[in-house]
């Protein structure tokens, strides 16, 4: 059953609100609209880049009917935290797209990501640790700037060195013309300004991985963010 059908089967439609992330593709917000409900945007957790349960709790109104997390870049959203927030208000949690099980390609991406995590010095690598499930469908780092080149300049420098890279979310959904809202989502804005996707494809060779590390590290080490 698709997301729209799940919402409509649950009786969600006109007059209802569904909380979705703005730092994500617009698909989730579009599914909410197709069900007849209104998308409401909440901020993200800075580590997972997925919906932050505390931010979701702050957006709830009497019209809120559901919370729709998006598992982003292969990192799972905090479903336990989101369900705890939802259950206190009698809401449902609808995953926009359930996280895919790990396969051989995902395991190769994880191995490549582990190589990058251990060696990159010029970027902020994805958070890792016990209990963090990440398939690295996209390997996303942060370029915080602070006196070094900003994210876009960093990306141009990497491309000039032969390293493929891309901006994973060009524009947060709440700033797109079709969904524009006058609100400030601090972590969403920060991620939109800082995040960059580096290659982590299963077919990458050790030489190609080394090139990514060498190019990033050549651009300088991290500069602590100003207080």
């Amino acid at each position: 059953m698709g997301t729209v059908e799940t919402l409509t089967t649950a009786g969600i439609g006109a007059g209802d609100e569904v909380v979705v992330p703005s730092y994500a593709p617009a698909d989730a917000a579009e599914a909410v609209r197709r069900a007849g409900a209104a998308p409401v945007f909440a901020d993200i957790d800075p580590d997972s880049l997925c919906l932050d349960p505390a931010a979701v709790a702050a957006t709830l109104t009497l019209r809120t009917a559901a919370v729709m997390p998006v598992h982003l870049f292969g990192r799972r959203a905090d479903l336990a935290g989101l369900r705890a927030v939802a259950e206190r208000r009698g809401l449902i949690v609808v995953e926009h797209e359930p996280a895919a099980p790990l396969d051989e390609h995902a395991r190769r991406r994880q191995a490549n990501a582990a190589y990058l995590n251990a060696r990159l010095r010029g970027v902020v690598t994805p958070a890792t640790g016990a209990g963090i499930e990440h398939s690295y469908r996209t390997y996303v780092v942060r370029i915080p700037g602070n006196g070094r080149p900003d994210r876009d300049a960093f990306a141009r420098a990497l491309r000039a060195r032969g390293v493929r890279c891309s901006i994973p979310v060009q524009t947060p959904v709440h700033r797109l013309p079709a969904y524009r809202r006058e609100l400030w989502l601090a972590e969403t804005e920060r991620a939109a300004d800082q995040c960059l996707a580096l290659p982590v494809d299963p077919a990458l060779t050790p030489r190609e991985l080394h090139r990514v590390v060498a190019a990033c590290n050549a651009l300088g080490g991290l500069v602590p963010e100003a207080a």
Side-chain angles (χ1 to χ4, degrees):
M1 183 181 295
T3 305
V4 177
E5 292 79 7
T6 300
L7 292 172
T8 55
T9 299
I12 297 172
D16 293 325
E17 295 176 346
V18 178
V19 182
V20 298
S22 180
Y23 190 74
D27 300 10
E30 178 61 23
V32 172
R33 278 196 174 173
R34 287 173 57 200
V40 173
F41 301 106
D43 212 351
I44 56 172
D45 173 81
D47 290 334
S48 71
L49 301 176
C50 300
L51 275 178
D52 176 16
V56 169
T59 68
L60 301 182
T61 71
L62 294 177
R63 296 176 59 190
T64 307
V67 177
M68 184 180 291
V70 176
H71 304 298
L72 205 59
F73 311 135
R75 171 73 185 262
R76 289 182 62 87
D78 181 4
L79 291 179
L82 293 170
R83 285 176 177 142
V85 170
E87 287 170 2
R88 288 197 291 269
R89 291 285 300 274
L91 311 176
I92 65 170
V93 174
V94 178
E95 297 174 68
H96 178 50
E97 292 181 359
L102 294 179
D103 57 14
E104 184 57 32
H105 289 309
R107 298 189 190 285
R108 290 176 186 170
R109 290 195 302 270
Q110 287 177 325
N112 290 343
Y115 179 96
L116 297 176
N117 287 344
R119 292 165 177 81
L120 285 173
R121 297 292 179 267
V123 300
V124 179
T125 56
T128 59
I132 295 178
E133 187 175 331
H134 205 320
S135 68
Y136 295 100
R137 187 175 59 191
T138 307
Y139 184 82
V140 176
V141 299
R142 287 180 183 260
I143 315 298
N146 307 313
R148 292 167 46 249
D150 64 16
R151 187 271 315 277
D152 294 340
F154 194 96
R156 288 192 295 271
L158 286 185
R159 294 181 188 119
R161 290 164 168 78
V163 174
R164 291 180 289 109
C165 58
S166 62
I167 299 172
V169 175
Q170 290 279 351
T171 306
V173 183
H174 77 278
R175 291 204 263 113
L176 296 174
Y179 298 94
R180 187 171 295 280
R181 301 285 190 279
E182 294 301 325
L183 71 159
W184 178 255
L185 304 174
E187 294 299 340
T188 293
E189 299 290 351
R190 189 173 292 115
D193 288 342
Q194 295 181 348
C195 286
L196 186 68
L198 300 177
V200 75
D201 321 44
L204 283 175
T205 66
R207 182 177 181 179
E208 289 168 327
L209 286 167
H210 176 75
R211 179 188 297 171
V212 173
V213 171
C216 288
N217 292 356
L219 294 175
L222 295 174
V223 176
E225 292 197 42

